[in-house]
């Protein structure tokens, strides 16, 4: 039933976050693996304070804006570079050119592929997209890189020379600035360089899913920026989509809870909804109104999320959700929802759901006042260990590219 996915729709303040916190608490209590993708961090903070000491040992907490204890992420590490370029391009289109109006386009794709292929030769698994502007810094840098990779990939070197080094047109500088600006916009902040700049990947999502662990990801959008948080969240979702097909056992579901799901129109969310059931992955997505979703993501939600929870909704959205559920939504009080559940025999009739997680959590705090402190100590220790285990976490830069060129 979990793997038939859950769609939660409701206006701000209607109870979406409380419902999600209750679902996560239930899943953790029952030993299931859970991932929470949280753009703002409030849901992650709440879930963290509601962990039991007995479950804290299998929890990873990612705080994207924490510069002292960063959690490195590199989708290219250990994977086929060409495949990952395609995946990352899908995310870049979602952020910069969602309507495919030419803001990116084929030339951008070609230069990105060439640059990442060169970086893979130079730095192997530590090749990372934050170095794209460094390779494209000048004609001389591109020539040096092309000369260095020529012994490993003569065709790639020829492409770099013909496309860029030998390009004497007046718009050469504009081309380099156009490509580099897209990556600078995403990774210029200290937080983004801490996450993507080192070339390491601190958490193996495939192992998290396989072991039934808990991964709480605070994207920290208010601190690092909306585009940066969306990009990072879509990379994490892409990691889950890639891990999905590698599962060894599908008997124990892994739950992926995505708050403000409209921010993640690419990166694997549609794939998780369409294919997750086959691989024991269930998705809970929550957002405020249907107009936030793209046509493709909205279609994937309506086609695959069989359990529907409608909290108080706008007058425009209420009829659409009422059609799926069979109940009235526009005048529901807070913490009340109309819902229909997916069961092995089909959909239930619509019924009313009361969200009582606040009361349950308060009773737990009163019965066990020391649990928050004990669980927090464990999760924080694990977070620092994850960060420190990566060794040299300093972001790679132009000097590292030059050293790799000289080494080859």
């Amino acid at each position: 039933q979990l793997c038939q996915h859950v769609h939660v729709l409701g206006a701000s303040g209607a109870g979406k976050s409380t419902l999600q916190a209750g679902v996560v608490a239930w899943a953790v209590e029952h030993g299931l693996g859970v991932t929470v993708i949280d753009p703002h961090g409030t849901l992650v903070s709440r879930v963290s304070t509601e962990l039991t000491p007995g479950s804290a040992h299998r929890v990873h907490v990612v705080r994207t804006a924490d510069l002292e204890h960063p959690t490195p992420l590199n989708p290219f590490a250990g994977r086929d570079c060409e495949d990952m370029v395609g995946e990352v391009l899908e995310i870049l289109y979602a952020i910069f050119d969602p309507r495919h109006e030419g803001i990116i386009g084929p030339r951008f794709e070609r230069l990105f592929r060439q640059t990442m292929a060169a970086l893979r030769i130079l730095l192997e698994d530590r090749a990372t997209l934050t170095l794209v502007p460094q390779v494209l810094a000048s004609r001389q840098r591109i020539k040096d890189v092309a000369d260095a990779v020529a012994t490993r990939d003569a065709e790639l070197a020829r492409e770099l020379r013909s496309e860029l080094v030998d390009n004497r047109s007046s718009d050469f500088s504009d081309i380099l600035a156009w490509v580099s600006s897209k990556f600078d916009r995403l990774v210029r902040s200290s937080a983004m360089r801490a996450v993507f700049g080192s070339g390491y990947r601190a958490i193996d999502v495939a192992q998290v899913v396989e072991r039934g662990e808990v991964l709480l990801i605070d994207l920290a959008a208010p601190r690092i920026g909306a585009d940066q948080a969306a990009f990072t969240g879509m990379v994490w979702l892409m990691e889950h989509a890639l891990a999905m097909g590698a599962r060894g056992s599908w008997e124990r579901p892994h739950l992926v809870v995505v708050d403000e799901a409209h921010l993640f129109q690419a990166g694997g969310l549609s794939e998780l909804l369409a294919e997750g059931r086959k691989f024991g992955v269930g998705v809970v997505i929550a957002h405020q109104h249907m107009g936030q979703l793209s046509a493709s993501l909205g279609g994937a939600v309506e086609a695959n999320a069989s359990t529907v929870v409608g909290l108080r909704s706008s007058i425009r959205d209420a009829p659409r959700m009422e059609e799926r559920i069979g109940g009235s939504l526009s005048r529901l009080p807070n913490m009340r929802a109309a819902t229909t559940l997916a069961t092995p025999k089909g959909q239930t009739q619509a019924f009313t759901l009361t969200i009582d997680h606040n009361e349950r959590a308060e009773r737990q705090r009163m019965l066990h006042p020391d649990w928050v402190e004990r669980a927090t100590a464990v999760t924080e220790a694990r977070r620092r260990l994850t960060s420190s285990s990566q060794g040299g976490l300093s972001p790679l830069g132009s000097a590292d590219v030059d050293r790799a060129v000289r080494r080859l």
Side-chain angles (χ1 to χ4, degrees), residues 347-405:
Q347 295 297 125
T348 67
Q349 293 297 316
F351 63 93
T352 303
L353 174 74
T354 300
I355 302 167
D356 63 349
H357 181 63
N358 286 334
E359 293 78 11
R360 291 171 178 264
E362 182 60 29
R363 284 197 296 270
Q364 177 174 288
R365 281 190 287 269
M366 292 179 66
L367 289 172
H368 307 282
D370 63 327
W371 276 13
V372 172
E373 184 177 350
R374 289 166 57 191
T376 300
V378 174
T379 56
E380 283 300 300
R382 284 172 55 81
R383 190 162 71 90
R384 290 185 174 90
L385 181 62
T386 298
S387 175
S388 63
S389 67
Q390 296 305 303
L393 286 173
S394 297
L396 299 173
S398 59
D400 299 284
V401 174
D402 289 339
R403 279 192 291 271
V405 166

Side-chain angles (χ1 to χ4, degrees), residues 185-310:
R185 176 176 161 186
L186 284 177
V187 300
R188 67 175 177 262
S189 70
S190 299
M192 293 296 281
R193 290 199 302 272
V195 173
F196 292 101
S198 70
Y200 291 115
R201 182 170 62 231
I203 294 176
D204 187 335
V205 171
Q207 290 187 5
V208 170
V209 174
E210 191 66 22
R211 295 171 180 171
E213 296 177 337
V214 179
L215 177 57
L216 307 178
I217 302 170
D218 166 17
L219 297 173
R223 296 179 63 184
I224 72 172
D227 284 346
Q228 289 77 6
F231 179 83
T232 307
M234 284 187 273
V235 172
W236 279 113
L237 284 166
M238 180 182 70
E239 292 280 343
H240 283 75
L242 293 169
M244 176 175 63
R247 297 202 68 183
S249 172
W250 309 337
E251 294 179 359
R252 180 172 57 180
H254 186 89
L255 202 59
V256 181
V257 178
V258 186
D259 195 21
E260 305 291 350
H262 60 282
L263 299 175
F264 314 111
Q265 306 280 5
L269 183 52
S270 293
E271 184 180 351
L272 288 168
L273 287 163
E275 305 291 336
R277 185 179 62 82
K278 304 173 188 175
F279 299 99
V281 175
V283 182
V284 177
I285 75 160
H287 62 110
Q288 293 183 18
H289 61 88
M290 292 300 296
Q292 294 172 313
L293 304 185
S294 66
S296 59
L297 181 54
V301 169
E302 293 192 331
N304 297 290
S306 299
T307 291
V308 182
V309 182

Side-chain angles (χ1 to χ4, degrees), residues 60-89:
H60 306 271
V61 179
V62 175
R63 297 287 188 181
T64 304
D66 186 349
L67 298 180
E68 294 185 6
H69 305 99
T71 303
L73 179 61
N74 182 11
F76 292 92
R79 297 195 178 108
D80 181 82
C81 184
E82 184 71 14
D83 290 345
M84 296 316 301
V85 164
E87 298 283 351
V88 173
L89 277 170

Side-chain angles (χ1 to χ4, degrees), residues 310-369:
L311 295 102
R312 188 185 71 253
S313 302
S314 70
I315 298 214
R316 177 177 297 179
D317 279 324
R320 190 169 176 179
M321 291 298 283
E322 288 166 11
E323 185 177 344
R324 296 185 69 196
I325 295 172
S328 178
L329 301 178
S330 60
R331 296 178 184 248
L332 283 170
N334 293 344
M335 304 301 168
R336 294 288 294 276
T339 187
T340 175
L341 301 183
T343 75
K345 295 182 180 180
Q347 295 297 125
T348 67
Q349 293 297 316
F351 63 93
T352 303
L353 174 74
T354 300
I355 302 167
D356 63 349
H357 181 63
N358 286 334
E359 293 78 11
R360 291 171 178 264
E362 182 60 29
R363 284 197 296 270
Q364 177 174 288
R365 281 190 287 269
M366 292 179 66
L367 289 172
H368 307 282

